Amino acid sequence: IFLFKAFKLYMKHASKFDYSITFPCYNAIEYTKKCINSMIQNGEDLGRVIAVDNGSTDGNQEYLKSLPLGKVILNKQNLGVGVALNQGALEFQTEWTIVMDNDLVVSKGWIDNLIGSAIENNLNVISPALVEGELDYDLESFAQKAREKMGSYIRLGDNHAVCLLIHKSVWIDTGYFRATPSLLGYEDTLFFHDLKKKGIKTAISSQSWLHHFGSATQKAMKKEQGLKPKDDLSVRNNHVLLCQNWFSRKLDKLKKIRFRKIMQTQEMDQFSMTVRGDRINGKFIWFGEY
C-alpha cells in the first residue's frame, strides 16, 4: 500500500526534466530516513536516486537496500565525500545532477523549481534556499509563502554545497569532485574554486526551499575520531590546496563574508528574509554568518 501511494504521487508530480539525485551517507540513519520520507511524501521518483554509503555500521546500508532506489552503492570503507559524489553522478549521467547531503528535508516542487530557475537564469550550477537548525515549523507552508514573497529572486554569485544542481556540461568543463578521502569535506571548497577559475556562475534560488539539520555526516565522523563539534576533521594548508598564497586566501574569505552581508542586507530590506537562514528557539534568524 505504501509503495502504491508513492507511485501515485510520482505519476502526479512526474518531472519533465532529465535529472538524477545522489547523496553520500555515513551512519546517521535517522537523517537518511527523514530525507527519503520527505521525498516520498512529495512524490519524488526514487528510481532517480543514487545513494552511496561510505561504510556505515548503524543499519543505514540495510535500510537503503530495502528501498526502491535507482541504485545503492555500498563502499566497504569511508572513501570520502568526493569519491561518493562522483560515484553517484557517474551512475546515470543525466543532463542535470543534484548532489546533496543526506540530512535534508525537501519541499514540494523543489526539483522542478530549481531546474526551472537555472534555465531561466542561464545557469549551470545553482543551489536551493535553506533553513538550518530545528525543524519545529511547517516546511511546506513556509516554502510556499517564501516563494510567493521572494518571487523569482536569485542571489547571483553565491553557493553552498548542502545541495547543488549541476548541468552535465560542468563535468566536462571543470571536472568532478576531488577524489581524495583525506580531504574529509573540503571537496566542495575546491570544486567552487575550480568553477570560479572557469568563469562558471553560481547562485542560490528562492524558488526552491529545503531544511537542513546541519552536517550530520561530518558530526558522525568527528564523533568517531573523538573530535569536538568545532574541531576540523583534518589539518591542512587550505591556500596550498587552492594554489593560492596565504594572503590571497584570507582576502578571498573576507570578500565572501562582505558580499554575503551586503546581500543579506539587501534581501532583508526587500523581502524581510534572506535565501539562507537559521531556525533557533522557534524563530527564524535571517542575518548571520555561515
mmCIF file of all heavy atoms in Angstrom, residues 15-21 48 92-98 111-112 115 165-168:
data_model
loop_
_atom_site.group_PDB
_atom_site.id
_atom_site.type_symbol
_atom_site.label_atom_id
_atom_site.label_comp_id
_atom_site.label_asym_id
_atom_site.label_seq_id
_atom_site.Cartn_x
_atom_site.Cartn_y
_atom_site.Cartn_z
ATOM 1 N N SER A 15 8.412 14.680 -13.204
ATOM 2 C CA SER A 15 9.118 15.826 -13.784
ATOM 3 C C SER A 15 9.362 15.624 -15.277
ATOM 4 O O SER A 15 9.541 14.502 -15.756
ATOM 5 C CB SER A 15 10.457 16.017 -13.066
ATOM 6 O OG SER A 15 11.194 17.050 -13.684
ATOM 7 N N LYS A 16 9.384 16.727 -16.001
ATOM 8 C CA LYS A 16 9.669 16.686 -17.435
ATOM 9 C C LYS A 16 11.165 16.760 -17.705
ATOM 10 O O LYS A 16 11.593 16.616 -18.852
ATOM 11 C CB LYS A 16 8.972 17.856 -18.123
ATOM 12 C CG LYS A 16 9.449 19.227 -17.627
ATOM 13 C CD LYS A 16 8.677 20.360 -18.270
ATOM 14 C CE LYS A 16 9.117 21.719 -17.727
ATOM 15 N NZ LYS A 16 8.364 22.833 -18.331
ATOM 16 N N PHE A 17 11.978 16.967 -16.660
ATOM 17 C CA PHE A 17 13.415 17.152 -16.835
ATOM 18 C C PHE A 17 14.175 15.832 -16.673
ATOM 19 O O PHE A 17 13.710 14.903 -16.013
ATOM 20 C CB PHE A 17 13.947 18.167 -15.823
ATOM 21 C CG PHE A 17 13.336 19.541 -15.954
ATOM 22 C CD1 PHE A 17 12.486 20.033 -14.970
ATOM 23 C CD2 PHE A 17 13.606 20.336 -17.057
ATOM 24 C CE1 PHE A 17 11.929 21.292 -15.077
ATOM 25 C CE2 PHE A 17 13.051 21.596 -17.180
ATOM 26 C CZ PHE A 17 12.197 22.082 -16.186
ATOM 27 N N ASP A 18 15.350 15.791 -17.288
ATOM 28 C CA ASP A 18 16.244 14.632 -17.174
ATOM 29 C C ASP A 18 17.228 14.913 -16.035
ATOM 30 O O ASP A 18 18.167 15.681 -16.208
ATOM 31 C CB ASP A 18 16.987 14.410 -18.496
ATOM 32 C CG ASP A 18 17.985 13.263 -18.423
ATOM 33 O OD1 ASP A 18 17.734 12.313 -17.660
ATOM 34 O OD2 ASP A 18 19.030 13.340 -19.109
ATOM 35 N N TYR A 19 16.998 14.297 -14.901
ATOM 36 C CA TYR A 19 17.850 14.567 -13.742
ATOM 37 C C TYR A 19 18.025 13.307 -12.900
ATOM 38 O O TYR A 19 17.278 12.325 -13.027
ATOM 39 C CB TYR A 19 17.228 15.658 -12.865
ATOM 40 C CG TYR A 19 16.006 15.213 -12.104
ATOM 41 C CD1 TYR A 19 16.114 14.646 -10.832
ATOM 42 C CD2 TYR A 19 14.731 15.331 -12.660
ATOM 43 C CE1 TYR A 19 14.994 14.201 -10.143
ATOM 44 C CE2 TYR A 19 13.618 14.901 -11.973
ATOM 45 C CZ TYR A 19 13.748 14.337 -10.712
ATOM 46 O OH TYR A 19 12.648 13.884 -10.038
ATOM 47 N N SER A 20 18.998 13.342 -12.035
ATOM 48 C CA SER A 20 19.191 12.310 -11.020
ATOM 49 C C SER A 20 19.600 12.992 -9.726
ATOM 50 O O SER A 20 20.044 14.144 -9.728
ATOM 51 C CB SER A 20 20.251 11.291 -11.459
ATOM 52 O OG SER A 20 21.503 11.931 -11.681
ATOM 53 N N ILE A 21 19.414 12.281 -8.630
ATOM 54 C CA ILE A 21 19.770 12.788 -7.305
ATOM 55 C C ILE A 21 20.764 11.825 -6.682
ATOM 56 O O ILE A 21 20.546 10.605 -6.719
ATOM 57 C CB ILE A 21 18.537 12.881 -6.388
ATOM 58 C CG1 ILE A 21 17.442 13.738 -7.017
ATOM 59 C CG2 ILE A 21 18.915 13.405 -5.007
ATOM 60 C CD1 ILE A 21 16.108 13.644 -6.283
ATOM 61 N N ARG A 48 15.163 7.677 -9.497
ATOM 62 C CA ARG A 48 16.185 8.626 -9.954
ATOM 63 C C ARG A 48 17.271 8.858 -8.895
ATOM 64 O O ARG A 48 18.205 9.624 -9.130
ATOM 65 C CB ARG A 48 15.547 9.974 -10.294
ATOM 66 C CG ARG A 48 14.545 9.955 -11.447
ATOM 67 C CD ARG A 48 13.923 11.325 -11.609
ATOM 68 N NE ARG A 48 12.891 11.386 -12.622
ATOM 69 C CZ ARG A 48 13.041 11.944 -13.825
ATOM 70 N NH1 ARG A 48 14.200 12.481 -14.160
ATOM 71 N NH2 ARG A 48 12.037 11.985 -14.683
ATOM 72 N N PHE A 92 24.136 7.473 -13.589
ATOM 73 C CA PHE A 92 23.103 7.687 -14.605
ATOM 74 C C PHE A 92 23.519 8.691 -15.681
ATOM 75 O O PHE A 92 22.975 8.665 -16.781
ATOM 76 C CB PHE A 92 21.809 8.177 -13.952
ATOM 77 C CG PHE A 92 21.095 7.133 -13.148
ATOM 78 C CD1 PHE A 92 20.050 7.482 -12.310
ATOM 79 C CD2 PHE A 92 21.451 5.798 -13.219
ATOM 80 C CE1 PHE A 92 19.376 6.524 -11.556
ATOM 81 C CE2 PHE A 92 20.789 4.832 -12.473
ATOM 82 C CZ PHE A 92 19.751 5.199 -11.639
ATOM 83 N N GLN A 93 24.432 9.602 -15.350
ATOM 84 C CA GLN A 93 24.946 10.602 -16.292
ATOM 85 C C GLN A 93 23.803 11.360 -16.978
ATOM 86 O O GLN A 93 23.727 11.447 -18.206
ATOM 87 C CB GLN A 93 25.860 9.929 -17.321
ATOM 88 C CG GLN A 93 27.071 9.258 -16.689
ATOM 89 C CD GLN A 93 28.011 8.617 -17.680
ATOM 90 O OE1 GLN A 93 28.235 9.167 -18.753
ATOM 91 N NE2 GLN A 93 28.570 7.475 -17.325
ATOM 92 N N THR A 94 22.927 11.923 -16.164
ATOM 93 C CA THR A 94 21.775 12.671 -16.650
ATOM 94 C C THR A 94 22.167 14.097 -17.031
ATOM 95 O O THR A 94 23.287 14.545 -16.755
ATOM 96 C CB THR A 94 20.696 12.710 -15.567
ATOM 97 O OG1 THR A 94 21.303 13.045 -14.311
ATOM 98 C CG2 THR A 94 20.005 11.367 -15.432
ATOM 99 N N GLU A 95 21.228 14.810 -17.654
ATOM 100 C CA GLU A 95 21.516 16.191 -18.029
ATOM 101 C C GLU A 95 21.772 17.055 -16.800
ATOM 102 O O GLU A 95 22.679 17.885 -16.786
ATOM 103 C CB GLU A 95 20.364 16.790 -18.832
ATOM 104 C CG GLU A 95 20.630 18.238 -19.245
ATOM 105 C CD GLU A 95 19.533 18.836 -20.109
ATOM 106 O OE1 GLU A 95 18.490 18.185 -20.291
ATOM 107 O OE2 GLU A 95 19.727 19.971 -20.602
ATOM 108 N N TRP A 96 20.958 16.844 -15.777
ATOM 109 C CA TRP A 96 21.119 17.567 -14.523
ATOM 110 C C TRP A 96 21.365 16.569 -13.396
ATOM 111 O O TRP A 96 20.685 15.539 -13.321
ATOM 112 C CB TRP A 96 19.867 18.378 -14.181
ATOM 113 C CG TRP A 96 19.541 19.470 -15.147
ATOM 114 C CD1 TRP A 96 18.680 19.404 -16.197
ATOM 115 C CD2 TRP A 96 20.079 20.802 -15.155
ATOM 116 N NE1 TRP A 96 18.633 20.604 -16.865
ATOM 117 C CE2 TRP A 96 19.482 21.483 -16.239
ATOM 118 C CE3 TRP A 96 20.989 21.487 -14.361
ATOM 119 C CZ2 TRP A 96 19.769 22.811 -16.545
ATOM 120 C CZ3 TRP A 96 21.278 22.804 -14.646
ATOM 121 C CH2 TRP A 96 20.677 23.456 -15.730
ATOM 122 N N THR A 97 22.322 16.871 -12.539
ATOM 123 C CA THR A 97 22.595 16.030 -11.372
ATOM 124 C C THR A 97 22.451 16.869 -10.111
ATOM 125 O O THR A 97 23.039 17.950 -10.007
ATOM 126 C CB THR A 97 24.021 15.445 -11.417
ATOM 127 O OG1 THR A 97 24.205 14.714 -12.628
ATOM 128 C CG2 THR A 97 24.260 14.523 -10.225
ATOM 129 N N ILE A 98 21.658 16.373 -9.171
ATOM 130 C CA ILE A 98 21.536 17.016 -7.869
ATOM 131 C C ILE A 98 22.420 16.250 -6.890
ATOM 132 O O ILE A 98 22.210 15.052 -6.669
ATOM 133 C CB ILE A 98 20.087 17.015 -7.370
ATOM 134 C CG1 ILE A 98 19.203 17.841 -8.310
ATOM 135 C CG2 ILE A 98 20.001 17.563 -5.940
ATOM 136 C CD1 ILE A 98 17.723 17.733 -8.018
ATOM 137 N N ILE A 111 12.514 20.305 -7.006
ATOM 138 C CA ILE A 111 13.392 19.938 -8.123
ATOM 139 C C ILE A 111 13.045 20.737 -9.373
ATOM 140 O O ILE A 111 13.918 21.387 -9.973
ATOM 141 C CB ILE A 111 13.296 18.426 -8.417
ATOM 142 C CG1 ILE A 111 13.851 17.629 -7.235
ATOM 143 C CG2 ILE A 111 14.073 18.083 -9.691
ATOM 144 C CD1 ILE A 111 13.649 16.132 -7.373
ATOM 145 N N ASP A 112 11.790 20.692 -9.786
ATOM 146 C CA ASP A 112 11.388 21.421 -10.997
ATOM 147 C C ASP A 112 11.621 22.922 -10.830
ATOM 148 O O ASP A 112 12.022 23.608 -11.782
ATOM 149 C CB ASP A 112 9.924 21.157 -11.316
ATOM 150 C CG ASP A 112 9.726 19.822 -12.030
ATOM 151 O OD1 ASP A 112 10.712 19.072 -12.143
ATOM 152 O OD2 ASP A 112 8.597 19.535 -12.467
ATOM 153 N N ILE A 115 15.497 23.482 -11.192
ATOM 154 C CA ILE A 115 15.944 23.362 -12.582
ATOM 155 C C ILE A 115 15.371 24.504 -13.417
ATOM 156 O O ILE A 115 16.083 25.096 -14.250
ATOM 157 C CB ILE A 115 15.532 22.001 -13.181
ATOM 158 C CG1 ILE A 115 16.218 20.860 -12.421
ATOM 159 C CG2 ILE A 115 15.908 21.939 -14.667
ATOM 160 C CD1 ILE A 115 15.800 19.476 -12.875
ATOM 161 N N LEU A 165 22.636 21.743 -7.794
ATOM 162 C CA LEU A 165 22.181 21.268 -9.093
ATOM 163 C C LEU A 165 23.280 21.580 -10.106
ATOM 164 O O LEU A 165 23.701 22.729 -10.237
ATOM 165 C CB LEU A 165 20.881 21.959 -9.498
ATOM 166 C CG LEU A 165 20.377 21.666 -10.923
ATOM 167 C CD1 LEU A 165 19.860 20.232 -11.016
ATOM 168 C CD2 LEU A 165 19.284 22.655 -11.322
ATOM 169 N N ILE A 166 23.739 20.552 -10.814
ATOM 170 C CA ILE A 166 24.879 20.703 -11.720
ATOM 171 C C ILE A 166 24.510 20.177 -13.111
ATOM 172 O O ILE A 166 24.030 19.046 -13.248
ATOM 173 C CB ILE A 166 26.102 19.935 -11.182
ATOM 174 C CG1 ILE A 166 26.455 20.421 -9.773
ATOM 175 C CG2 ILE A 166 27.298 20.085 -12.124
ATOM 176 C CD1 ILE A 166 27.503 19.571 -9.079
ATOM 177 N N HIS A 167 24.726 21.006 -14.127
ATOM 178 C CA HIS A 167 24.475 20.592 -15.501
ATOM 179 C C HIS A 167 25.628 19.716 -15.994
ATOM 180 O O HIS A 167 26.774 19.873 -15.583
ATOM 181 C CB HIS A 167 24.327 21.815 -16.413
ATOM 182 C CG HIS A 167 23.845 21.482 -17.779
ATOM 183 N ND1 HIS A 167 24.705 21.360 -18.855
ATOM 184 C CD2 HIS A 167 22.587 21.223 -18.256
ATOM 185 C CE1 HIS A 167 23.998 21.064 -19.932
ATOM 186 N NE2 HIS A 167 22.721 20.965 -19.602
ATOM 187 N N LYS A 168 25.316 18.801 -16.912
ATOM 188 C CA LYS A 168 26.316 17.850 -17.391
ATOM 189 C C LYS A 168 27.526 18.523 -18.037
ATOM 190 O O LYS A 168 28.636 17.970 -18.025
ATOM 191 C CB LYS A 168 25.684 16.871 -18.383
ATOM 192 C CG LYS A 168 25.147 17.521 -19.654
ATOM 193 C CD LYS A 168 24.513 16.483 -20.574
ATOM 194 C CE LYS A 168 24.005 17.114 -21.869
ATOM 195 N NZ LYS A 168 23.388 16.111 -22.770
#
